[in-house]
Amino acid sequence: TRTTRPQRLLKAVQDRAIRGNPKSVISVIDHYCRNQEWAMNVGDEKGFILDSVVSELNPQTVLELGTYCGYSAVRIGRLLHSGARLLTLEFNPDYAAVAREVISWAGLENTVQLVEGASGDWIPRLREHFGIHTFDFIFLDHWKEGYLADIKLLEECRLLRKGTVLLADNVVCPGAPDYLEYVRKSPLYDSRYFKSHLEYTKAEDGLEKSVYLG
Ligand SMILES: CCc1ncnc2c1ncn2[C@@H]1O[C@H](/C=C/CNC(=O)c2cc(-c3ccc(F)cc3)cc(O)c2O)[C@@H](O)[C@H]1O
Ligand SMILES: [Mg+2]
């Protein structure tokens, strides 16, 4: 049977990237997705904005919603300092299997932990299961209609603290209108839009950065 898109992306990483070198894993995926087969990674242009937010914050505890092939987990994980941890949630077992390989090829298996399952099931259990108190940084890149429910659940579970930064991908394309309205109207957040482009294309897209005011 045919391979899947994520499996073909993984093969490109294994064939072309240098083991243990996150930078080469990132550039191989970007080159492959720009020149051979598009995939819904945050990509290099929005990825540069993601890098600057993470580098400025220097977070110790990070949560990612929606691992897919692990591109943004590698992007974020490579910037974390020793002792810092990224938990990434992915409910599709096939995507999770590919992402584990990509994360391992980048040599980030001790920094990035992939947890298989639905965000709504796992968020209420993160404290007791992983000893997490609160998150410093959260990257939202899963189903766009799930963003709003998950940010409210994170509030309810008290996993946000004064200054927690949430960064949401695709707030223009495909769009997350209910999430945008919420974070921009709520007095709990200080929100701003970083205009960019949809990965590997000229279409507009952007990231919404929201700081929880607590
Ligand atoms: C149940 C909660 C829950 N819990 C845990 N994991 C979950 C989950 N819900 C989903 N997942 C996983 O997350 C990833 C989904 C990501 C969804 N992303 C886009 O749809 C998207 C689309 C475009 C675009 C496509 C086509 C265009 F023409 C334009 C733009 C561009 C982008 O950057 C995009 O991120 C997959 O791995 C899911 O298995
Ligand atoms: Mg995305």
Side-chain angles (χ1 to χ4, degrees):
T1 55
R2 255 175 70 75
T3 57
T4 64
R5 187 183 301 241
Q7 284 168 337
R8 293 190 292 273
L9 182 148
L10 172 59
K11 186 174 181 328
V13 167
Q14 292 167 332
D15 290 350
R16 307 176 195 175
I18 303 156
R19 260 196 104 94
N21 183 327
K23 201 165 175 296
S24 87
V25 168
I26 290 162
S27 56
V28 161
I29 292 173
D30 284 329
H31 185 275
Y32 178 77
C33 293
R34 185 178 294 281
N35 299 294
Q36 275 153 284
E37 189 173 27
W38 189 91
M40 60 183 178
N41 318 119
V42 72
D44 46 355
E45 192 180 318
K46 288 186 288 179
F48 184 79
I49 299 166
L50 171 61
D51 290 356
S52 54
V53 170
V54 173
S55 302
E56 186 190 339
L57 201 60
N58 185 19
Q60 286 300 310
T61 55
V62 181
L63 175 66
E64 175 180 67
L65 303 179
T67 319
Y68 189 47
C69 295
Y71 174 90
S72 47
V74 169
R75 257 207 111 101
I76 297 167
R78 87 187 197 283
L79 298 175
L80 299 184
H81 293 182
S82 69
R85 291 287 174 274
L86 163 62
L87 265 184
T88 181
L89 306 185
E90 172 54 56
F91 74 178
N92 180 307
D94 301 325
Y95 296 166
V98 164
R100 288 187 201 283
E101 289 300 317
V102 169
I103 290 159
S104 158
W105 198 271
L108 292 170
E109 59 277 5
N110 296 329
T111 304
V112 177
Q113 178 163 9
L114 191 153
V115 179
E116 237 174 282
S119 53
D121 297 341
W122 269 107
I123 287 170
R125 293 161 51 200
L126 294 176
R127 182 170 287 110
E128 42 130 1
H129 212 272
F130 295 99
I132 303 270
H133 186 55
T134 55
F135 286 105
D136 301 326
F137 178 66
I138 298 168
F139 183 55
L140 297 92
D141 194 18
H142 58 334
W143 291 153
K144 309 315 159 193
E145 57 277 3
Y147 283 14
L148 181 56
D150 282 350
I151 189 172
K152 288 185 172 175
L153 186 56
L154 286 160
E155 289 171 14
E156 256 170 63
C157 298
R158 305 181 65 72
L159 286 165
L160 308 179
R161 50 115 177 126
K162 276 186 194 345
T164 294
V165 170
L166 296 100
L167 192 66
D169 190 25
N170 311 116
V171 294
V172 166
C173 177
D178 56 346
Y179 173 84
L180 270 192
E181 186 189 9
Y182 179 72
V183 290
R184 288 175 177 174
K185 277 189 177 165
S186 166
L188 287 173
Y189 297 92
D190 179 26
S191 210
R192 81 163 265 206
Y193 175 62
F194 288 80
K195 186 172 192 264
S196 183
H197 294 94
L198 176 68
E199 48 268 29
Y200 319 118
T201 77
K202 293 186 170 20
E204 182 183 340
D205 189 20
L207 302 163
E208 187 81 1
K209 177 188 174 187
S210 308
V211 182
Y212 185 66
L213 303 173

